[in-house]
Amino acid sequence: MRYSALSIFRQALSGNRNWAPMWREPEPKPHYDVIIVGGGGHGLATAYYLAKEFGITNVAVLEKSYLGSGNVGRNTTIIRSNYLLEGNEPFYEFSMKLWEGLEQDFNYNAMVSQRGIVNLFHSDGQRDAYARRGNAMMMHGVAAELLDREQVHKMMPYLNYDHARFPILGGLLQKRGGTARHDAVAWGYGRGADSRGVDLIQNCEVTGIRRDEAGNVQGVETSRGFIGCNKLALATAGHTSVTGQMAGLELPIETHVLQAFVSEGIKPVIDNVITYGAGHFYISQSDKGGLVFGADIDYYSSYAQRGNLATVEHTIEEGVSLIPGLSRVRVLRAWGGVMDMSMDGSPIIDRTPIDNLYLNCGWCYGGFKATPASGFCFAHLIAKNEAHPVTRLLRLDRFKRGFAVDEGGKGPQPNLH
Amino acid sequence: MASLITCPHCGIRPKEEFSIRGDASPVRPAAAASDDAWYAYVFVRDNPKGRIIEHWHHSAGCRRWLVVERDNAASHEVYSVTDASVHAKGAAR
């Protein structure tokens, strides 16, 4: 069914009892052209673009739990393309352009809201760094504005401008940045893939990768039996090392937990997305009124989808130091997601040493904004066996060859990216 | 994650006193080792799910490097904390 204002009106007249399920629940077939492991945002987007853009529809997405149960449902929903480096900026800008047409493209309300993102700076050196980043964006045709203190004050009067140690001197604004409704992104891609013939198979955990004598992948062992495939694609960020080791891959990844928080609903106050330059705090306000925020990872390796109370305290201290009024807001919920922290802070979309095994991983905690471009470029790679131009630097072998894409300049220590 | 770490030098301390370096299992190769050996040491991680060892620095305490053995899958339980030099001697044996 195609969604429209008329369909909503019609269904309302019948008490909303006749909506069809958004996707089928098929039994797995014995063999597919392509199997995608991971029914999160990136896996579902990959399936969608494989079917829609590249005409490959004999595809299964295998998800160990329910669709969108991982990080696509656990993030702070920020979308942006304000990166510095050549390997990143064109990719994230491609993603931003896909976000801008996404809802019309997949006929689903993902609540994409281009409310603008401001990265605050608090020292002369930081202003220079943001000016450089804004210039790098403009060299790739992406608009950026360097705001001074008065301009930021006009937009956001509630910030702590005269903090003794970290006064706000200004910010870098990307007006096209903003937020989207994370669950709806997964559902929209899932529905679009399903309607084009992709089998979305839930509660189907991959437990092994079967390979022939030449080393090529024949299929996967799952909790619902063996399923064969011509090409296997891993989109299991957070657990990439677990699935990668089933095929003996050497990976530049450590898994860490990142927490996020939402407050009780309050009246509209934060119109944009704000990031705190003196800490790692970032915040926006959902359409329902809750303040959605987060900060650093917990720094220790973890596969558990929950974090430590000390990090909760640290996050909220950062928040209150930036926005004193937050001290009177109550936190409603907190949760954790597990991240592939890569050795340079940038993702990997590449082929692997195994001919018919494809890898999408290393998203650190920036994977949500990348969902559309990640899916599109991964589908391109799987369909054509060659990298999409905007992911040509996001290779698996870049560390060995000395071409890391280290946006933060922090070196090969995953918990610092 | 346990909120308390038992430092072998300082006793039971809050985890905020420590900074965390990461996986303690890679062993530093000889200076003249091959590029492949250095690549594996610097960039490749087994990243197991379960019982792991990690380098922690007691940066707000005795400033010794420690090896913390713990669970990273569900319980976050800490099994042992050893001075890194003691751990290295044990591993060499």
Side-chain angles (χ1 to χ4, degrees):
Chain A
M1 178 200 293
R2 196 171 163 77
Y3 296 149
S4 63
L6 183 65
S7 71
I8 293 172
F9 182 72
R10 275 207 187 128
Q11 294 287 342
L13 288 180
S14 58
N16 284 315
R17 281 186 301 270
N18 299 320
W19 289 105
M22 291 202 292
W23 47 75
R24 299 164 292 129
E25 297 204 16
E27 284 301 310
K29 289 191 275 188
H31 192 275
Y32 291 92
D33 290 344
V34 177
I35 287 180
I36 298 164
V37 185
H42 292 217
L44 293 168
T46 303
Y48 174 78
Y49 290 116
L50 264 180
K52 177 167 178 285
E53 300 291 333
F54 301 98
I56 300 176
T57 56
N58 185 19
V59 175
V61 177
L62 308 184
E63 166 55 44
K64 71 175 173 185
S65 179
Y66 58 91
L67 295 184
S69 54
N71 292 335
V72 73
R74 292 169 179 269
N75 57 75
T76 43
T77 78
I78 298 167
I79 60 174
R80 60 186 176 90
S81 61
N82 52 1
Y83 281 75
L84 174 71
L85 296 181
E86 177 65 38
N88 281 328
E89 181 59 17
F91 171 76
Y92 287 104
E93 176 56 16
F94 180 50
S95 203
M96 183 54 83
K97 290 204 171 100
L98 290 172
W99 280 116
E100 286 171 333
L102 184 64
E103 292 161 312
Q104 290 71 26
D105 186 64
F106 67 18
N107 179 232
Y108 202 83
N109 182 9
M111 296 169 69
V112 174
S113 163
Q114 293 182 289
R115 56 186 67 184
I117 177 166
V118 176
N119 302 125
L120 298 171
F121 52 79
H122 310 266
S123 67
D124 292 346
Q126 214 172 20
R127 177 175 52 218
D128 291 350
Y130 276 132
R132 181 183 173 211
R133 194 198 288 207
N135 284 329
M137 291 163 63
M138 287 194 277
M139 284 170 72
H140 284 108
V142 181
E145 262 177 73
L146 199 67
L147 306 178
D148 63 19
R149 183 189 146 105
E150 281 63 44
Q151 289 170 300
V152 177
H153 191 276
K154 208 171 168 190
M155 286 173 73
M156 306 163 179
Y158 46 83
L159 302 178
N160 185 3
Y161 287 86
D162 299 316
H163 191 287
R165 191 165 167 207
F166 302 116
I168 294 167
L169 302 185
L172 180 68
L173 167 66
Q174 185 186 19
K175 279 188 178 164
R176 289 162 62 232
T179 59
R181 178 160 184 228
H182 51 2
D183 294 324
V185 174
W187 298 336
Y189 276 126
R191 171 173 167 268
D194 174 87
S195 69
R196 288 171 174 81
V198 173
D199 283 357
L200 309 177
I201 301 166
Q202 307 181 66
N203 301 309
C204 179
E205 181 169 5
V206 171
T207 54
I209 295 175
R210 191 187 289 181
R211 294 161 67 191
D212 64 20
E213 281 172 10
N216 291 328
V217 174
Q218 293 175 309
V220 288
E221 311 285 352
T222 77
S223 54
R224 295 172 69 170
F226 175 79
I227 309 173
C229 63
N230 296 340
K231 294 181 175 181
L232 181 64
L234 302 179
T236 55
H239 280 73
T240 301
S241 297
V242 175
T243 48
Q245 276 157 14
M246 293 174 190
L249 296 182
E250 284 186 343
L251 295 168
I253 283 169
E254 253 182 40
T255 297
H256 286 261
V257 62
L258 174 70
Q259 301 188 65
F261 309 85
V262 65
S263 78
E264 59 190 330
I266 57 175
K267 287 186 178 177
V269 53
I270 297 180
D271 302 324
N272 317 89
V273 181
I274 308 167
T275 74
Y276 185 26
H280 205 156
F281 183 79
Y282 40 87
I283 188 166
S284 62
Q285 186 167 18
S286 78
D287 291 1
K288 217 158 61 176
L291 303 177
V292 185
F293 58 93
D296 290 304
I297 55 174
D298 281 23
Y299 290 117
Y300 50 79
S301 154
S302 175
Y303 281 94
Q305 287 177 321
R306 59 192 159 75
N308 189 272
L309 208 52
T311 308
V312 177
E313 187 180 25
H314 176 78
T315 301
I316 290 171
E317 279 172 354
E318 279 194 7
V320 171
S321 103
L322 177 67
I323 308 174
L326 276 189
S327 65
R328 286 159 57 183
V329 176
R330 282 166 296 194
V331 172
L332 195 65
R333 285 183 293 125
W335 63 95
V338 293
M339 317 282 137
D340 274 7
M341 297 304 293
S342 68
M343 285 289 171
D344 60 359
S346 296
I348 294 161
I349 300 179
D350 200 3
R351 301 182 62 185
T352 67
I354 299 166
D355 218 23
N356 59 347
L357 178 65
Y358 301 81
L359 187 62
N360 176 324
C361 69
W363 291 101
C364 299
Y365 39 94
F368 178 70
K369 75 180 89 68
T371 306
S374 167
F376 194 105
C377 296
F378 199 34
H380 182 284
L381 180 75
I382 296 163
K384 303 193 167 190
N385 254 347
E386 62 186 55
H388 187 281
V390 298
T391 59
R392 69 191 193 284
L393 299 181
L394 303 177
R395 293 172 58 145
L396 176 60
D397 66 357
R398 66 177 183 261
F399 304 97
K400 197 167 206 167
R401 295 165 57 248
F403 290 90
V405 183
D406 191 343
E407 185 83 18
K410 290 167 182 163
Q413 183 163 348
N415 65 351
L416 294 185
H417 287 293
Chain B
M1 183 68 216
S3 293
L4 299 171
I5 296 288
T6 307
C7 172
H9 307 289
C10 311
I12 297 171
R13 309 298 303 172
K15 76 166 259 301
E16 296 93 291
E17 287 188 0
F18 300 80
S19 41
I20 303 163
R21 170 72 174 82
D23 191 353
S25 42
V27 178
R28 190 182 178 87
S34 67
D35 285 358
D36 281 352
W38 276 100
Y39 160 71
Y41 171 68
V42 175
F43 293 111
V44 177
R45 294 291 178 266
D46 288 343
N47 194 22
K49 183 176 184 174
R51 207 176 177 105
I52 60 151
I53 50 173
E54 218 166 34
H55 274 134
W56 289 46
H57 185 233
H58 198 179
S59 43
C62 60
R63 300 196 62 78
R64 291 291 294 178
W65 280 99
L66 308 172
V67 172
V68 175
E69 182 186 20
R70 59 181 191 84
D71 176 66
N72 74 355
S75 72
H76 283 155
E77 185 179 348
V78 176
Y79 301 115
S80 72
V81 184
T82 320
D83 188 279
S85 67
V86 175
H87 178 88
K89 279 175 201 155
R93 246 187 280 130

